[in-house]
Amino acid sequence: MKSHCNRKTKKEQPMALLHQLLLLLLLLIIPFSHSQDPLGNYCNKPITTTTTSANIERTLTELSTKAPQKSFATSIIGKGAAKVYGLAQCRQDVSANACQSCVNNATKNLRNLCPNESDGRIWYDYCFVRYNTQNFIGELDTGYGIFYYNTENVTDPKAFDKRLGALMDDVEAQAVKPGNRGLGKGEAKVSPFVTVYGLVQCTQDLEPLLCAQCAATAVGTVFPEYCLHRKGCRVLYSSCYVRYEIYPFFFPVETPGTSAVGESLEVVVARP
């Protein structure tokens, strides 16, 4: 009996390999290019003194120098009412070069977006930078959030939601473990053709309990309200970043069954 399985001819094989290489290159380019564009920013409270302005500038300069060394840095500059507190953090799965580039862009854009504000924050896929004249270091902050969600729904909501729930429980548990620096990530098979990828990244100034509370707020409150049955969702708080997708978005990059190309997103801003 003759076999009817499909086989690529010698002529077709190089084309198939070229297609795979182009897809992988596209996946590598897309995350990098997206990392250069801010996902959102927040500016509040007018600056009252020139000393405060100078201290903000010194804070941002110090953060852009220190943060890429260990993917995280805090800074305290000045005295009295003009004292400025700062924090910068990169996702723990990105390279030092990507971290440096992201923090440089973040501090530069924060200067432009919040030129006369004493509370400034900016979010990217790869990093987060903030400063404030009030001490926020070590404090849980979910008062302001930015939520992105895919406008498309999954085809099997019941199976998807079950696997997503178990996955997010797992990555939340990873994030609070000592030594993981607030990062948890993983993947789960929903079907032979669908894999869901999840990530939690807390700022490293948080105690494990506060990290868990931040992630739980995102997963337990935002996901059901804005992201139910959606193919992807991102929650950006000042204390944590929580995300899931049906394609790989964290490193190392893998060849996915579904790519991010052409996805349609909606964004919601939740103010305090």
Side-chain angles (χ1 to χ4, degrees), residues 6 24 79 90 126 153 190 194 228 272:
N6 292 325
L24 181 58
K79 298 179 180 180
C90 294
Y126 289 177
N153 287 338
V190 179
V194 178
L228 190 64

Side-chain angles (χ1 to χ4, degrees), residues 5 38 67 86 139 187 191 210 218 237:
C5 62
E139 299 291 332
E187 61 185 79
S191 73
L210 297 181
Y237 285 133

